[in-house]
Amino acid sequence: MAINGFGVTEFQLVLLRRMADYRPGAVEEAVRRLGATRASMREANKRWQAMVRVPRFPRGAARYAAVLGPAEASVPRRIGDLACTARQWALPLWPDLRFEVLLGPAEIGSPVLNEWLVRAPGVPGPSLRTLADLAPWSCVVADVGAAFPSAVPREGSAPTRFRLDFDAPDGAGVVCPWTADFTWGLLQEVRPADGPRPRMGE
């Protein structure tokens, strides 16, 4: 399904555009796998930003259904005292993940509370024990949070970004504090907590 020629491929390009600041090489390879180019990725992102600003464009979960088709799953989820709903869509680039939109209670209009990539139901996450296991694009926020109970969520530097501060063993087995940066819920990099960002590839 697509709206005005904007469908699943274009939406994946939008997600990739936000990841390019962290993982330009991985993004470039993914763009090629989609049969697209850097220019078309930028154009897809530009179109998406323009579409969501149009008053008549669908809001909430309907916005994503308009470009991705019907949700693959709609799951009740309780967040504290709130009765919420999580709707999920499969994306070809990440077959083990799902794009999830978390909606607030229907009685307050089902607002979008969160939107990111999550582990697909029934798909086991990676084994995460040390820093070396935390490869970019290998895990989502919940994977890291479950593996390292010390994890504390932090606000990211942009709406699509998220951070976790946590403790984990380094290469020498010494437990140290780290910060994991995510875009759309997918791990991009891990760096020393409160330290400068390492060079790409470190």
Side-chain angles (χ1 to χ4, degrees):
M1 182 176 182
I3 182 170
N4 296 326
F6 196 103
V8 175
T9 296
E10 290 74 19
F11 185 73
Q12 290 177 109
L13 291 172
V14 171
L15 302 189
L16 290 170
R17 176 65 185 86
R18 293 303 185 188
M19 299 178 190
D21 293 338
Y22 284 103
R23 316 304 311 176
V27 165
E28 190 165 343
E29 180 181 346
V31 168
R32 286 197 299 268
R33 286 170 56 195
L34 292 175
T37 64
R38 284 174 143 189
S40 58
M41 177 177 67
R42 290 192 295 269
E43 178 61 23
N45 187 65
K46 181 179 178 181
R47 287 187 61 197
W48 176 255
Q49 298 303 323
M51 287 163 61
V52 299
R53 290 185 175 89
V54 174
R56 66 178 179 275
F57 192 63
R59 303 295 178 189
R63 167 177 297 175
Y64 299 98
V67 298
L68 300 177
E72 178 181 85
S74 184
V75 183
R77 187 171 297 167
R78 184 161 289 276
I79 309 296
D81 294 332
L82 297 179
C84 302
T85 302
R87 295 189 183 174
Q88 298 180 346
W89 286 264
L91 297 176
L93 271 181
W94 297 284
D96 291 341
L97 306 179
R98 295 294 181 267
F99 184 75
E100 179 179 278
V101 176
L102 181 64
L103 304 172
E107 57 266 26
I108 60 172
S110 301
V112 173
L113 304 180
N114 198 17
E115 47 197 333
W116 60 7
L117 292 164
V118 300
R119 184 70 47 192
V123 176
S127 177
L128 305 176
R129 296 187 179 89
T130 71
L131 184 67
D133 298 324
L134 293 161
W137 286 26
S138 69
C139 48
V140 294
V141 172
D143 294 334
V144 179
F148 304 102
S150 64
V152 177
R154 302 292 187 198
E155 186 175 349
S157 57
T160 60
R161 294 178 180 173
F162 190 86
R163 286 178 177 165
L164 283 179
D165 289 342
F166 65 102
D167 298 326
D170 63 9
V174 178
V175 176
C176 301
W178 308 96
T179 294
D181 285 295
F182 301 81
T183 300
W184 293 109
L186 189 64
L187 180 66
Q188 303 298 311
E189 69 176 18
V190 179
R191 54 190 168 83
D194 301 320
R197 285 181 59 187
R199 290 175 297 174
M200 292 300 182
E202 291 189 347

